[in-house]
Amino acid sequence: MLAHNGRAWDAQARDGSSPWVQPADPAAIAAARSGDWQIILTPCKSVPRTWFAGALDGRDVLCLASGGGQQAPILAAAGARVTSFDYSTAQLELDAQVAAREALALRTIQGDMADLSVFADGSFDLIVHPVSNVFSRQVRPVWRECSRVLRPGGRLLSGFMNPDYYLFDHAAIESGGPLEVSYALPYSDERDLPPERRAQMLAEEEAFEFSHSLDEQIGGQLDAGLVLRGFYEDRWSDDATPLNRYLPTSMATLAEKPAAG
């Protein structure tokens, strides 16, 4: 499933079909160089600047499963030493294209978000992880690896879907069906969809999604040795989902690795 989801995001990156594959424009990069910048972890709400704990100059930042030419180039233009790590080669190519266009120093590495063994312990001051672990079967390994590669006092900024989003059959809703509970949680496209729908997703290279409970998302970060310092919820748009009228569809956390001693 990992390889399939990588191909699915390659396809989206190349056809520009997702808002997460729209590269930062020159104006946004110029503004970031002058100190005027923002990024998102969830579809709409900007991350509070206080979550970054000061200037980015000289800090080592990992953009985790965050390719697409957005967060990584903005943070590099703001002065950080940025590594973009993503399973989709086409998403990484978008980061590299913006970096080349704007003469930014930005390293790209292809790999699985749950396996950061290419990095030594304590490699980063900051990890930026937008909504993306929805494409991973297991999320606790992601948190353990994030904790390992953070330096003491380092911060993890992560976004993830509200698990309640996956109670509903969104394909049926988009086809005019009723808004009603269809699935038990945790949900998995791989397990819960009818065989013919799974086959269609494989053939059309649609990414498979997996819900994760708050125990896995927030409890998993705590169990990995991180301390929660901030939290917010975000809504999407009514065009994206009618659920937007009833509940926040995503949320974000700020977690910190305790300082040594």
mmCIF file of all heavy atoms in Angstrom, residues 179-232:
data_model
loop_
_atom_site.group_PDB
_atom_site.id
_atom_site.type_symbol
_atom_site.label_atom_id
_atom_site.label_comp_id
_atom_site.label_asym_id
_atom_site.label_seq_id
_atom_site.Cartn_x
_atom_site.Cartn_y
_atom_site.Cartn_z
ATOM 1 N N LEU A 179 -26.406 12.137 4.801
ATOM 2 C CA LEU A 179 -25.293 12.248 5.727
ATOM 3 C C LEU A 179 -25.604 11.332 6.909
ATOM 4 O O LEU A 179 -26.321 11.711 7.835
ATOM 5 C CB LEU A 179 -25.141 13.697 6.186
ATOM 6 C CG LEU A 179 -23.926 14.038 7.038
ATOM 7 C CD1 LEU A 179 -22.632 13.817 6.269
ATOM 8 C CD2 LEU A 179 -24.022 15.490 7.505
ATOM 9 N N GLU A 180 -25.107 10.105 6.858
ATOM 10 C CA GLU A 180 -25.391 9.138 7.902
ATOM 11 C C GLU A 180 -24.157 8.305 8.196
ATOM 12 O O GLU A 180 -23.292 8.117 7.338
ATOM 13 C CB GLU A 180 -26.543 8.219 7.501
ATOM 14 C CG GLU A 180 -26.300 7.416 6.243
ATOM 15 C CD GLU A 180 -27.501 6.586 5.818
ATOM 16 O OE1 GLU A 180 -28.623 6.874 6.295
ATOM 17 O OE2 GLU A 180 -27.316 5.654 5.009
ATOM 18 N N VAL A 181 -24.095 7.809 9.438
ATOM 19 C CA VAL A 181 -22.958 6.997 9.856
ATOM 20 C C VAL A 181 -22.943 5.694 9.061
ATOM 21 O O VAL A 181 -23.958 4.986 8.967
ATOM 22 C CB VAL A 181 -23.017 6.711 11.368
ATOM 23 C CG1 VAL A 181 -21.960 5.691 11.763
ATOM 24 C CG2 VAL A 181 -22.838 8.009 12.152
ATOM 25 N N SER A 182 -21.779 5.396 8.456
ATOM 26 C CA SER A 182 -21.662 4.214 7.601
ATOM 27 C C SER A 182 -20.605 3.229 8.075
ATOM 28 O O SER A 182 -20.659 2.050 7.707
ATOM 29 C CB SER A 182 -21.326 4.641 6.164
ATOM 30 O OG SER A 182 -22.324 5.481 5.631
ATOM 31 N N TYR A 183 -19.618 3.699 8.841
ATOM 32 C CA TYR A 183 -18.491 2.849 9.212
ATOM 33 C C TYR A 183 -18.205 2.945 10.698
ATOM 34 O O TYR A 183 -18.460 3.967 11.334
ATOM 35 C CB TYR A 183 -17.234 3.257 8.442
ATOM 36 C CG TYR A 183 -17.378 3.213 6.948
ATOM 37 C CD1 TYR A 183 -17.440 4.394 6.198
ATOM 38 C CD2 TYR A 183 -17.453 2.007 6.274
ATOM 39 C CE1 TYR A 183 -17.573 4.360 4.815
ATOM 40 C CE2 TYR A 183 -17.589 1.963 4.891
ATOM 41 C CZ TYR A 183 -17.645 3.137 4.173
ATOM 42 O OH TYR A 183 -17.786 3.101 2.813
ATOM 43 N N ALA A 184 -17.622 1.877 11.234
ATOM 44 C CA ALA A 184 -17.075 1.898 12.584
ATOM 45 C C ALA A 184 -15.624 2.366 12.510
ATOM 46 O O ALA A 184 -14.964 2.245 11.469
ATOM 47 C CB ALA A 184 -17.143 0.507 13.210
ATOM 48 N N LEU A 185 -15.130 2.925 13.594
ATOM 49 C CA LEU A 185 -13.745 3.384 13.668
ATOM 50 C C LEU A 185 -12.895 2.382 14.436
ATOM 51 O O LEU A 185 -13.385 1.726 15.353
ATOM 52 C CB LEU A 185 -13.689 4.759 14.348
ATOM 53 C CG LEU A 185 -14.471 5.878 13.656
ATOM 54 C CD1 LEU A 185 -14.348 7.181 14.454
ATOM 55 C CD2 LEU A 185 -13.991 6.092 12.224
ATOM 56 N N PRO A 186 -11.616 2.260 14.121
ATOM 57 C CA PRO A 186 -10.888 2.993 13.082
ATOM 58 C C PRO A 186 -11.249 2.485 11.688
ATOM 59 O O PRO A 186 -11.487 1.302 11.491
ATOM 60 C CB PRO A 186 -9.419 2.708 13.411
ATOM 61 C CG PRO A 186 -9.439 1.372 14.082
ATOM 62 C CD PRO A 186 -10.717 1.330 14.862
ATOM 63 N N TYR A 187 -11.272 3.404 10.751
ATOM 64 C CA TYR A 187 -11.656 3.119 9.378
ATOM 65 C C TYR A 187 -10.425 2.906 8.512
ATOM 66 O O TYR A 187 -9.366 3.509 8.735
ATOM 67 C CB TYR A 187 -12.470 4.286 8.816
ATOM 68 C CG TYR A 187 -12.679 4.215 7.330
ATOM 69 C CD1 TYR A 187 -13.705 3.446 6.799
ATOM 70 C CD2 TYR A 187 -11.829 4.894 6.458
ATOM 71 C CE1 TYR A 187 -13.897 3.358 5.430
ATOM 72 C CE2 TYR A 187 -12.009 4.810 5.084
ATOM 73 C CZ TYR A 187 -13.041 4.037 4.571
ATOM 74 O OH TYR A 187 -13.207 3.942 3.216
ATOM 75 N N SER A 188 -10.581 2.068 7.457
ATOM 76 C CA SER A 188 -9.506 1.847 6.486
ATOM 77 C C SER A 188 -10.116 1.640 5.108
ATOM 78 O O SER A 188 -10.978 0.766 4.929
ATOM 79 C CB SER A 188 -8.688 0.615 6.890
ATOM 80 O OG SER A 188 -7.924 0.124 5.811
ATOM 81 N N ASP A 189 -9.693 2.448 4.124
ATOM 82 C CA ASP A 189 -10.106 2.192 2.738
ATOM 83 C C ASP A 189 -9.756 0.768 2.337
ATOM 84 O O ASP A 189 -10.520 0.094 1.641
ATOM 85 C CB ASP A 189 -9.386 3.155 1.789
ATOM 86 C CG ASP A 189 -10.023 4.538 1.717
ATOM 87 O OD1 ASP A 189 -11.196 4.671 2.097
ATOM 88 O OD2 ASP A 189 -9.334 5.475 1.282
ATOM 89 N N GLU A 190 -8.600 0.330 2.760
ATOM 90 C CA GLU A 190 -8.071 -0.979 2.377
ATOM 91 C C GLU A 190 -8.959 -2.107 2.882
ATOM 92 O O GLU A 190 -9.145 -3.121 2.204
ATOM 93 C CB GLU A 190 -6.662 -1.116 2.939
ATOM 94 C CG GLU A 190 -5.892 -2.328 2.485
ATOM 95 C CD GLU A 190 -4.490 -2.318 3.047
ATOM 96 O OE1 GLU A 190 -4.309 -1.946 4.227
ATOM 97 O OE2 GLU A 190 -3.564 -2.698 2.311
ATOM 98 N N ARG A 191 -9.525 -1.941 4.066
ATOM 99 C CA ARG A 191 -10.301 -3.014 4.697
ATOM 100 C C ARG A 191 -11.810 -2.851 4.524
ATOM 101 O O ARG A 191 -12.541 -3.823 4.331
ATOM 102 C CB ARG A 191 -9.978 -3.054 6.188
ATOM 103 C CG ARG A 191 -10.702 -4.143 6.981
ATOM 104 C CD ARG A 191 -10.548 -3.960 8.474
ATOM 105 N NE ARG A 191 -11.128 -2.706 8.931
ATOM 106 C CZ ARG A 191 -10.419 -1.736 9.525
ATOM 107 N NH1 ARG A 191 -9.127 -1.880 9.729
ATOM 108 N NH2 ARG A 191 -11.023 -0.610 9.895
ATOM 109 N N ASP A 192 -12.313 -1.614 4.599
ATOM 110 C CA ASP A 192 -13.750 -1.385 4.741
ATOM 111 C C ASP A 192 -14.495 -1.129 3.440
ATOM 112 O O ASP A 192 -15.719 -1.252 3.413
ATOM 113 C CB ASP A 192 -13.986 -0.205 5.693
ATOM 114 C CG ASP A 192 -13.526 -0.518 7.108
ATOM 115 O OD1 ASP A 192 -13.765 -1.652 7.560
ATOM 116 O OD2 ASP A 192 -12.920 0.358 7.750
ATOM 117 N N LEU A 193 -13.819 -0.767 2.372
ATOM 118 C CA LEU A 193 -14.516 -0.507 1.114
ATOM 119 C C LEU A 193 -14.900 -1.818 0.420
ATOM 120 O O LEU A 193 -14.207 -2.838 0.565
ATOM 121 C CB LEU A 193 -13.634 0.321 0.185
ATOM 122 C CG LEU A 193 -13.435 1.791 0.540
ATOM 123 C CD1 LEU A 193 -12.493 2.444 -0.450
ATOM 124 C CD2 LEU A 193 -14.760 2.531 0.593
ATOM 125 N N PRO A 194 -15.959 -1.810 -0.367
ATOM 126 C CA PRO A 194 -16.310 -2.992 -1.161
ATOM 127 C C PRO A 194 -15.168 -3.339 -2.128
ATOM 128 O O PRO A 194 -14.449 -2.440 -2.594
ATOM 129 C CB PRO A 194 -17.564 -2.565 -1.919
ATOM 130 C CG PRO A 194 -18.114 -1.407 -1.160
ATOM 131 C CD PRO A 194 -16.932 -0.710 -0.549
ATOM 132 N N PRO A 195 -14.985 -4.609 -2.454
ATOM 133 C CA PRO A 195 -13.868 -5.015 -3.333
ATOM 134 C C PRO A 195 -13.830 -4.266 -4.656
ATOM 135 O O PRO A 195 -12.749 -3.914 -5.141
ATOM 136 C CB PRO A 195 -14.119 -6.515 -3.537
ATOM 137 C CG PRO A 195 -14.889 -6.939 -2.329
ATOM 138 C CD PRO A 195 -15.746 -5.766 -1.955
ATOM 139 N N GLU A 196 -15.007 -3.993 -5.234
ATOM 140 C CA GLU A 196 -15.002 -3.314 -6.534
ATOM 141 C C GLU A 196 -14.507 -1.873 -6.408
ATOM 142 O O GLU A 196 -13.839 -1.359 -7.311
ATOM 143 C CB GLU A 196 -16.395 -3.346 -7.173
ATOM 144 C CG GLU A 196 -17.500 -2.667 -6.380
ATOM 145 C CD GLU A 196 -18.159 -3.584 -5.348
ATOM 146 O OE1 GLU A 196 -17.594 -4.650 -5.038
ATOM 147 O OE2 GLU A 196 -19.250 -3.197 -4.865
ATOM 148 N N ARG A 197 -14.809 -1.227 -5.274
ATOM 149 C CA ARG A 197 -14.326 0.135 -5.067
ATOM 150 C C ARG A 197 -12.820 0.134 -4.819
ATOM 151 O O ARG A 197 -12.103 1.017 -5.323
ATOM 152 C CB ARG A 197 -15.060 0.778 -3.891
ATOM 153 C CG ARG A 197 -14.552 2.167 -3.509
ATOM 154 C CD ARG A 197 -14.641 3.147 -4.649
ATOM 155 N NE ARG A 197 -14.144 4.467 -4.238
ATOM 156 C CZ ARG A 197 -13.413 5.261 -5.012
ATOM 157 N NH1 ARG A 197 -13.119 4.882 -6.249
ATOM 158 N NH2 ARG A 197 -13.006 6.424 -4.575
ATOM 159 N N ARG A 198 -12.323 -0.823 -4.060
ATOM 160 C CA ARG A 198 -10.869 -0.934 -3.838
ATOM 161 C C ARG A 198 -10.153 -1.158 -5.163
ATOM 162 O O ARG A 198 -9.105 -0.548 -5.424
ATOM 163 C CB ARG A 198 -10.557 -2.061 -2.862
ATOM 164 C CG ARG A 198 -11.010 -1.796 -1.442
ATOM 165 C CD ARG A 198 -10.286 -2.703 -0.459
ATOM 166 N NE ARG A 198 -10.467 -4.119 -0.752
ATOM 167 C CZ ARG A 198 -11.466 -4.856 -0.279
ATOM 168 N NH1 ARG A 198 -12.396 -4.300 0.500
ATOM 169 N NH2 ARG A 198 -11.559 -6.140 -0.569
ATOM 170 N N ALA A 199 -10.708 -2.020 -6.002
ATOM 171 C CA ALA A 199 -10.090 -2.293 -7.299
ATOM 172 C C ALA A 199 -10.059 -1.037 -8.157
ATOM 173 O O ALA A 199 -9.077 -0.772 -8.868
ATOM 174 C CB ALA A 199 -10.849 -3.414 -8.013
ATOM 175 N N GLN A 200 -11.129 -0.247 -8.104
ATOM 176 C CA GLN A 200 -11.169 1.001 -8.865
ATOM 177 C C GLN A 200 -10.092 1.971 -8.376
ATOM 178 O O GLN A 200 -9.409 2.617 -9.187
ATOM 179 C CB GLN A 200 -12.547 1.649 -8.729
ATOM 180 C CG GLN A 200 -12.686 2.964 -9.485
ATOM 181 C CD GLN A 200 -14.019 3.639 -9.211
ATOM 182 O OE1 GLN A 200 -14.726 3.310 -8.253
ATOM 183 N NE2 GLN A 200 -14.387 4.583 -10.068
ATOM 184 N N MET A 201 -9.929 2.081 -7.063
ATOM 185 C CA MET A 201 -8.914 2.979 -6.509
ATOM 186 C C MET A 201 -7.516 2.541 -6.926
ATOM 187 O O MET A 201 -6.663 3.378 -7.243
ATOM 188 C CB MET A 201 -9.027 3.030 -4.995
ATOM 189 C CG MET A 201 -10.290 3.724 -4.501
ATOM 190 S SD MET A 201 -10.407 3.788 -2.704
ATOM 191 C CE MET A 201 -9.121 4.995 -2.326
ATOM 192 N N LEU A 202 -7.278 1.249 -6.933
ATOM 193 C CA LEU A 202 -5.975 0.758 -7.363
ATOM 194 C C LEU A 202 -5.742 1.072 -8.841
ATOM 195 O O LEU A 202 -4.663 1.525 -9.233
ATOM 196 C CB LEU A 202 -5.869 -0.748 -7.116
ATOM 197 C CG LEU A 202 -5.726 -1.178 -5.660
ATOM 198 C CD1 LEU A 202 -5.917 -2.686 -5.524
ATOM 199 C CD2 LEU A 202 -4.349 -0.788 -5.124
ATOM 200 N N ALA A 203 -6.764 0.852 -9.656
ATOM 201 C CA ALA A 203 -6.617 1.075 -11.095
ATOM 202 C C ALA A 203 -6.445 2.552 -11.421
ATOM 203 O O ALA A 203 -5.675 2.913 -12.320
ATOM 204 C CB ALA A 203 -7.839 0.509 -11.829
ATOM 205 N N GLU A 204 -7.143 3.413 -10.681
ATOM 206 C CA GLU A 204 -7.107 4.848 -10.973
ATOM 207 C C GLU A 204 -6.075 5.592 -10.129
ATOM 208 O O GLU A 204 -6.004 6.825 -10.181
ATOM 209 C CB GLU A 204 -8.501 5.438 -10.749
ATOM 210 C CG GLU A 204 -9.543 4.865 -11.704
ATOM 211 C CD GLU A 204 -10.932 5.439 -11.501
ATOM 212 O OE1 GLU A 204 -11.093 6.322 -10.613
ATOM 213 O OE2 GLU A 204 -11.852 5.025 -12.230
ATOM 214 N N GLU A 205 -5.291 4.845 -9.358
ATOM 215 C CA GLU A 205 -4.223 5.398 -8.526
ATOM 216 C C GLU A 205 -4.745 6.495 -7.596
ATOM 217 O O GLU A 205 -4.196 7.594 -7.514
ATOM 218 C CB GLU A 205 -3.059 5.907 -9.392
ATOM 219 C CG GLU A 205 -2.349 4.775 -10.110
ATOM 220 C CD GLU A 205 -1.059 5.201 -10.787
ATOM 221 O OE1 GLU A 205 -0.955 6.381 -11.166
ATOM 222 O OE2 GLU A 205 -0.163 4.349 -10.925
ATOM 223 N N GLU A 206 -5.818 6.160 -6.887
ATOM 224 C CA GLU A 206 -6.312 7.008 -5.803
ATOM 225 C C GLU A 206 -5.649 6.549 -4.505
ATOM 226 O O GLU A 206 -5.548 5.345 -4.238
ATOM 227 C CB GLU A 206 -7.830 6.891 -5.658
ATOM 228 C CG GLU A 206 -8.627 7.438 -6.811
ATOM 229 C CD GLU A 206 -10.115 7.296 -6.544
ATOM 230 O OE1 GLU A 206 -10.571 7.756 -5.466
ATOM 231 O OE2 GLU A 206 -10.809 6.715 -7.385
ATOM 232 N N ALA A 207 -5.219 7.482 -3.686
ATOM 233 C CA ALA A 207 -4.549 7.133 -2.441
ATOM 234 C C ALA A 207 -5.526 6.512 -1.450
ATOM 235 O O ALA A 207 -6.662 6.966 -1.303
ATOM 236 C CB ALA A 207 -3.910 8.373 -1.826
ATOM 237 N N PHE A 208 -5.091 5.461 -0.774
ATOM 238 C CA PHE A 208 -5.868 4.832 0.280
ATOM 239 C C PHE A 208 -5.649 5.594 1.587
ATOM 240 O O PHE A 208 -4.528 5.995 1.905
ATOM 241 C CB PHE A 208 -5.456 3.374 0.459
ATOM 242 C CG PHE A 208 -6.060 2.436 -0.541
ATOM 243 C CD1 PHE A 208 -5.710 2.506 -1.888
ATOM 244 C CD2 PHE A 208 -6.981 1.476 -0.154
ATOM 245 C CE1 PHE A 208 -6.261 1.638 -2.818
ATOM 246 C CE2 PHE A 208 -7.544 0.608 -1.074
ATOM 247 C CZ PHE A 208 -7.192 0.690 -2.415
ATOM 248 N N GLU A 209 -6.726 5.753 2.369
ATOM 249 C CA GLU A 209 -6.650 6.485 3.621
ATOM 250 C C GLU A 209 -6.991 5.572 4.801
ATOM 251 O O GLU A 209 -7.728 4.594 4.658
ATOM 252 C CB GLU A 209 -7.599 7.688 3.601
ATOM 253 C CG GLU A 209 -7.230 8.705 2.528
ATOM 254 C CD GLU A 209 -8.054 9.973 2.586
ATOM 255 O OE1 GLU A 209 -8.742 10.194 3.626
ATOM 256 O OE2 GLU A 209 -8.009 10.746 1.611
ATOM 257 N N PHE A 210 -6.458 5.947 5.965
ATOM 258 C CA PHE A 210 -6.637 5.184 7.197
ATOM 259 C C PHE A 210 -6.931 6.175 8.322
ATOM 260 O O PHE A 210 -6.190 7.140 8.505
ATOM 261 C CB PHE A 210 -5.363 4.407 7.546
ATOM 262 C CG PHE A 210 -4.865 3.516 6.434
ATOM 263 C CD1 PHE A 210 -4.064 4.034 5.419
ATOM 264 C CD2 PHE A 210 -5.193 2.166 6.406
ATOM 265 C CE1 PHE A 210 -3.597 3.225 4.394
ATOM 266 C CE2 PHE A 210 -4.733 1.352 5.378
ATOM 267 C CZ PHE A 210 -3.929 1.879 4.373
ATOM 268 N N SER A 211 -8.003 5.944 9.063
ATOM 269 C CA SER A 211 -8.266 6.816 10.208
ATOM 270 C C SER A 211 -7.409 6.364 11.393
ATOM 271 O O SER A 211 -7.045 5.187 11.504
ATOM 272 C CB SER A 211 -9.746 6.793 10.590
ATOM 273 O OG SER A 211 -10.067 5.654 11.364
ATOM 274 N N HIS A 212 -7.090 7.312 12.256
ATOM 275 C CA HIS A 212 -6.352 7.013 13.480
ATOM 276 C C HIS A 212 -7.055 7.713 14.635
ATOM 277 O O HIS A 212 -7.438 8.877 14.528
ATOM 278 C CB HIS A 212 -4.902 7.493 13.376
ATOM 279 C CG HIS A 212 -4.161 6.914 12.217
ATOM 280 N ND1 HIS A 212 -3.844 5.583 12.132
ATOM 281 C CD2 HIS A 212 -3.693 7.483 11.070
ATOM 282 C CE1 HIS A 212 -3.195 5.355 11.002
ATOM 283 N NE2 HIS A 212 -3.099 6.487 10.333
ATOM 284 N N SER A 213 -7.220 6.995 15.723
ATOM 285 C CA SER A 213 -7.912 7.557 16.878
ATOM 286 C C SER A 213 -7.090 8.671 17.519
ATOM 287 O O SER A 213 -5.885 8.800 17.280
ATOM 288 C CB SER A 213 -8.165 6.456 17.908
ATOM 289 O OG SER A 213 -6.923 6.013 18.459
ATOM 290 N N LEU A 214 -7.733 9.450 18.382
ATOM 291 C CA LEU A 214 -6.998 10.461 19.139
ATOM 292 C C LEU A 214 -6.008 9.812 20.093
ATOM 293 O O LEU A 214 -4.965 10.396 20.411
ATOM 294 C CB LEU A 214 -7.971 11.368 19.892
ATOM 295 C CG LEU A 214 -8.884 12.223 19.006
ATOM 296 C CD1 LEU A 214 -9.774 13.104 19.870
ATOM 297 C CD2 LEU A 214 -8.080 13.073 18.033
ATOM 298 N N ASP A 215 -6.322 8.601 20.541
ATOM 299 C CA ASP A 215 -5.361 7.873 21.370
ATOM 300 C C ASP A 215 -4.079 7.593 20.583
ATOM 301 O O ASP A 215 -2.970 7.684 21.131
ATOM 302 C CB ASP A 215 -5.974 6.563 21.855
ATOM 303 C CG ASP A 215 -5.054 5.792 22.780
ATOM 304 O OD1 ASP A 215 -4.649 6.350 23.813
ATOM 305 O OD2 ASP A 215 -4.731 4.632 22.464
ATOM 306 N N GLU A 216 -4.226 7.272 19.297
ATOM 307 C CA GLU A 216 -3.052 7.027 18.452
ATOM 308 C C GLU A 216 -2.344 8.333 18.097
ATOM 309 O O GLU A 216 -1.117 8.401 18.073
ATOM 310 C CB GLU A 216 -3.478 6.299 17.171
ATOM 311 C CG GLU A 216 -4.054 4.912 17.403
ATOM 312 C CD GLU A 216 -2.988 3.931 17.868
ATOM 313 O OE1 GLU A 216 -2.001 3.734 17.145
ATOM 314 O OE2 GLU A 216 -3.148 3.381 18.976
ATOM 315 N N GLN A 217 -3.123 9.354 17.798
ATOM 316 C CA GLN A 217 -2.535 10.619 17.358
ATOM 317 C C GLN A 217 -1.905 11.394 18.524
ATOM 318 O O GLN A 217 -0.704 11.701 18.497
ATOM 319 C CB GLN A 217 -3.593 11.487 16.666
ATOM 320 C CG GLN A 217 -4.167 10.903 15.381
ATOM 321 C CD GLN A 217 -3.237 11.058 14.179
ATOM 322 O OE1 GLN A 217 -2.036 11.242 14.319
ATOM 323 N NE2 GLN A 217 -3.786 10.970 12.987
ATOM 324 N N ILE A 218 -2.703 11.696 19.523
ATOM 325 C CA ILE A 218 -2.198 12.493 20.646
ATOM 326 C C ILE A 218 -1.531 11.603 21.690
ATOM 327 O O ILE A 218 -0.410 11.872 22.135
ATOM 328 C CB ILE A 218 -3.339 13.323 21.258
ATOM 329 C CG1 ILE A 218 -3.839 14.348 20.222
ATOM 330 C CG2 ILE A 218 -2.872 14.030 22.527
ATOM 331 C CD1 ILE A 218 -5.025 15.165 20.669
ATOM 332 N N GLY A 219 -2.208 10.521 22.065
ATOM 333 C CA GLY A 219 -1.599 9.589 23.009
ATOM 334 C C GLY A 219 -0.305 9.004 22.488
ATOM 335 O O GLY A 219 0.642 8.780 23.249
ATOM 336 N N GLY A 220 -0.242 8.767 21.178
ATOM 337 C CA GLY A 220 0.977 8.236 20.590
ATOM 338 C C GLY A 220 2.146 9.188 20.713
ATOM 339 O O GLY A 220 3.292 8.774 20.930
ATOM 340 N N GLN A 221 1.890 10.492 20.563
ATOM 341 C CA GLN A 221 2.957 11.478 20.742
ATOM 342 C C GLN A 221 3.440 11.493 22.193
ATOM 343 O O GLN A 221 4.649 11.540 22.457
ATOM 344 C CB GLN A 221 2.460 12.866 20.332
ATOM 345 C CG GLN A 221 2.174 13.012 18.849
ATOM 346 C CD GLN A 221 1.761 14.425 18.486
ATOM 347 O OE1 GLN A 221 2.436 15.392 18.835
ATOM 348 N NE2 GLN A 221 0.641 14.552 17.785
ATOM 349 N N LEU A 222 2.500 11.440 23.128
ATOM 350 C CA LEU A 222 2.872 11.433 24.543
ATOM 351 C C LEU A 222 3.666 10.176 24.886
ATOM 352 O O LEU A 222 4.676 10.236 25.609
ATOM 353 C CB LEU A 222 1.619 11.536 25.408
ATOM 354 C CG LEU A 222 0.775 12.810 25.230
ATOM 355 C CD1 LEU A 222 -0.495 12.726 26.064
ATOM 356 C CD2 LEU A 222 1.583 14.051 25.595
ATOM 357 N N ASP A 223 3.222 9.036 24.364
ATOM 358 C CA ASP A 223 3.924 7.785 24.642
ATOM 359 C C ASP A 223 5.323 7.766 24.027
ATOM 360 O O ASP A 223 6.204 7.031 24.499
ATOM 361 C CB ASP A 223 3.119 6.597 24.118
ATOM 362 C CG ASP A 223 1.869 6.327 24.944
ATOM 363 O OD1 ASP A 223 1.774 6.873 26.059
ATOM 364 O OD2 ASP A 223 0.985 5.587 24.464
ATOM 365 N N ALA A 224 5.530 8.558 22.986
ATOM 366 C CA ALA A 224 6.852 8.648 22.361
ATOM 367 C C ALA A 224 7.790 9.565 23.138
ATOM 368 O O ALA A 224 8.943 9.763 22.729
ATOM 369 C CB ALA A 224 6.725 9.126 20.923
ATOM 370 N N GLY A 225 7.311 10.123 24.242
ATOM 371 C CA GLY A 225 8.155 10.964 25.085
ATOM 372 C C GLY A 225 8.044 12.436 24.821
ATOM 373 O O GLY A 225 8.837 13.231 25.346
ATOM 374 N N LEU A 226 7.053 12.839 24.023
ATOM 375 C CA LEU A 226 6.855 14.254 23.716
ATOM 376 C C LEU A 226 5.849 14.869 24.688
ATOM 377 O O LEU A 226 5.021 14.165 25.273
ATOM 378 C CB LEU A 226 6.376 14.419 22.274
ATOM 379 C CG LEU A 226 7.306 13.837 21.201
ATOM 380 C CD1 LEU A 226 6.625 13.855 19.843
ATOM 381 C CD2 LEU A 226 8.628 14.589 21.159
ATOM 382 N N VAL A 227 5.909 16.167 24.831
ATOM 383 C CA VAL A 227 5.003 16.904 25.707
ATOM 384 C C VAL A 227 4.154 17.836 24.857
ATOM 385 O O VAL A 227 4.686 18.586 24.032
ATOM 386 C CB VAL A 227 5.791 17.720 26.753
ATOM 387 C CG1 VAL A 227 4.840 18.523 27.634
ATOM 388 C CG2 VAL A 227 6.662 16.802 27.608
ATOM 389 N N LEU A 228 2.836 17.780 25.040
ATOM 390 C CA LEU A 228 1.943 18.610 24.238
ATOM 391 C C LEU A 228 1.963 20.048 24.740
ATOM 392 O O LEU A 228 1.756 20.317 25.929
ATOM 393 C CB LEU A 228 0.517 18.059 24.309
ATOM 394 C CG LEU A 228 -0.431 18.468 23.182
ATOM 395 C CD1 LEU A 228 0.031 17.913 21.854
ATOM 396 C CD2 LEU A 228 -1.844 17.996 23.486
ATOM 397 N N ARG A 229 2.229 20.989 23.819
ATOM 398 C CA ARG A 229 2.305 22.407 24.175
ATOM 399 C C ARG A 229 1.232 23.264 23.517
ATOM 400 O O ARG A 229 1.022 24.396 23.934
ATOM 401 C CB ARG A 229 3.677 22.963 23.759
ATOM 402 C CG ARG A 229 4.866 22.303 24.408
ATOM 403 C CD ARG A 229 4.897 22.554 25.899
ATOM 404 N NE ARG A 229 6.157 22.136 26.494
ATOM 405 C CZ ARG A 229 6.348 21.973 27.796
ATOM 406 N NH1 ARG A 229 5.346 22.194 28.639
ATOM 407 N NH2 ARG A 229 7.522 21.600 28.249
ATOM 408 N N GLY A 230 0.587 22.751 22.476
ATOM 409 C CA GLY A 230 -0.412 23.553 21.782
ATOM 410 C C GLY A 230 -1.342 22.677 20.968
ATOM 411 O O GLY A 230 -1.006 21.546 20.602
ATOM 412 N N PHE A 231 -2.533 23.215 20.693
ATOM 413 C CA PHE A 231 -3.546 22.448 19.959
ATOM 414 C C PHE A 231 -4.536 23.427 19.313
ATOM 415 O O PHE A 231 -4.868 24.456 19.896
ATOM 416 C CB PHE A 231 -4.311 21.530 20.926
ATOM 417 C CG PHE A 231 -5.441 20.761 20.300
ATOM 418 C CD1 PHE A 231 -5.213 19.545 19.680
ATOM 419 C CD2 PHE A 231 -6.738 21.258 20.325
ATOM 420 C CE1 PHE A 231 -6.265 18.834 19.101
ATOM 421 C CE2 PHE A 231 -7.793 20.566 19.741
ATOM 422 C CZ PHE A 231 -7.546 19.340 19.137
ATOM 423 N N TYR A 232 -4.985 23.108 18.101
ATOM 424 C CA TYR A 232 -6.128 23.829 17.516
ATOM 425 C C TYR A 232 -6.861 22.927 16.535
ATOM 426 O O TYR A 232 -6.316 21.923 16.067
ATOM 427 C CB TYR A 232 -5.709 25.136 16.837
ATOM 428 C CG TYR A 232 -4.783 25.024 15.644
ATOM 429 C CD1 TYR A 232 -5.271 24.727 14.370
ATOM 430 C CD2 TYR A 232 -3.414 25.264 15.772
ATOM 431 C CE1 TYR A 232 -4.425 24.660 13.266
ATOM 432 C CE2 TYR A 232 -2.564 25.208 14.684
ATOM 433 C CZ TYR A 232 -3.070 24.899 13.428
ATOM 434 O OH TYR A 232 -2.233 24.838 12.350
#
